[in-house]
Amino acid sequence: MMVVLLGATTLVLVAVAPWVLSAAAGGKNLKSPQKVEVDIIDDNFILRWNRSDESVGNVTFSFDYQKTGMDNWIKLSGCQNITSTKCNFSSLKLNVYEEIKLRIRAEKENTSSWYEVDSFTPFRKAQIGPPEVHLEAEDKAIVIHISPGTKDSVMWALDGLSFTYSLVIWKNSSGVEERIENIYSRHKIYKLSPETTYCLKVKAALLTSWKIGVYSPVHCIKTTVENELPPPENIEVSVQNQNYVLKWDYTYANMTFQVQWLQ
């Protein structure tokens, strides 16, 4: 501290360290966020991270991104001034086969240093989400219609016809998984019992890219009443010369019949 006398006026000059000024202004040195995770499911891009100091309130977080070959960083749309530790940047139009890099910092009165995330290619990191499933019931069969979880998907635009599906089906009354089948987008499961509730789940795969998806929610449907006509009764064969006549009785009128013979 320095004291200078100028007549009747006393001027006091005080040297203050920069960190004292920051504290006096209510600021605090912020720590960078840590453990950033990038989750990509179909066309949904989600970022999650950990705060480094839970005791500091009113902190927000912002991301920048950088494409391969770029020198400058760009603000990541959907992930600016976030108060939680999660954000969605699905609206960003990206080339899913192009490598990108991310960085994040904490912000309050001042800002933390940037925490950089390892570069990644969205397509390689993406996971296949649960497919959409529509069921139609018959008396002894179920017809299954399957489509990828994201219609007009950017992520799977080049692979839409390459999906295969795995299905697990069981009787609802037992709860025991009975049959596992590899199927395509439209499939019919035969040899089921009429008037019985079956449950199933489906997951998609892109074997060319070594990607296996997650199962859909469980879907249940009840097969219909058995649609089977009773057989003819009182069957008789009469022979007149070399003419063979087959006769029978049947409950319903206006029916047609098919006859087969075995040597």
Side-chain angles (χ1 to χ4, degrees), residues 199-211:
C199 296
L200 58 85
K201 58 184 179 180
V202 182
K203 67 179 177 181
L206 277 175
L207 301 181
T208 55
S209 302
W210 298 91
K211 290 182 180 291

Side-chain angles (χ1 to χ4, degrees), residues 139-167:
D139 59 341
K140 296 181 181 179
I142 295 174
V143 181
I144 305 169
H145 301 271
I146 308 170
S147 60
T150 304
K151 295 180 180 179
D152 302 321
S153 170
V154 174
M155 187 64 67
W156 315 121
L158 301 180
D159 302 279
L161 299 177
S162 301
F163 280 106
T164 59
Y165 301 92
S166 298
L167 174 145

Side-chain angles (χ1 to χ4, degrees), residues 32 93 104 117 120 131 138 154 184 190 195 202 207 215 240:
S32 303
K93 304 302 181 184
I104 181 176
V117 183
F120 63 93
E138 297 182 0
V154 174
Y184 289 94
Y190 296 94
E195 297 185 87
V202 182
L207 301 181
Y215 276 111
Q240 297 176 357

